[in-house]
Amino acid sequence: MTRHDVTLEWPGGSTQTIEVSEDETVLEAAQRAGARLPYDCRKGTCITCVGRLTGIGDERAAADASGTEAPLDATAAFTYRRPPAALTDSERADGYVLLCIARPRADCRIEVGPRVRAEVGDSPWA
């Protein structure tokens, strides 16, 4: 069974790397490893569990001259159990990922925490 290392990055610089098998979501693996991540629906219909991809394998998001990071293509790093209904196409293109339904396809790094959620805003159905 294929497994990937997923590094969770919290505000303040703390990190935790968890091993995620191909048949489980990042949230499921985080809970198994004792990492606390917020969640609610577990169906990809709210944004409580949202994270932002910051690296795939050895590739890291690079900042431009203004300090804005260019997004990584989250479709290269994740498959979903079902369509991530709470994210727009633009948000997915910017690297946002719903961790309750996302399964990694590669080793990756994900920024988590309240700042990421604030960037996306409320659920489209709130």
Side-chain angles (χ1 to χ4, degrees), residues 39-112:
Y39 65 94
D40 190 11
C41 73
R42 290 183 170 264
K43 297 177 183 174
T45 58
C46 75
I47 61 156
T48 303
C49 66
V50 71
R52 186 166 191 217
L53 183 66
T54 61
I56 302 172
D58 294 332
E59 179 186 6
R60 300 274 304 175
D64 64 15
S66 69
T68 303
E69 287 187 358
L72 295 171
D73 183 2
T75 59
F78 295 96
T79 59
Y80 280 108
R81 282 190 173 163
R82 56 179 54 102
L87 291 177
T88 65
D89 291 343
S90 175
E91 289 165 340
R92 288 194 302 261
D94 284 342
Y96 293 101
V97 180
L98 297 178
L99 303 178
C100 71
I101 58 171
R103 295 179 298 195
R105 300 170 68 185
D107 294 350
C108 59
R109 301 180 70 85
I110 305 168
E111 180 182 13
V112 296

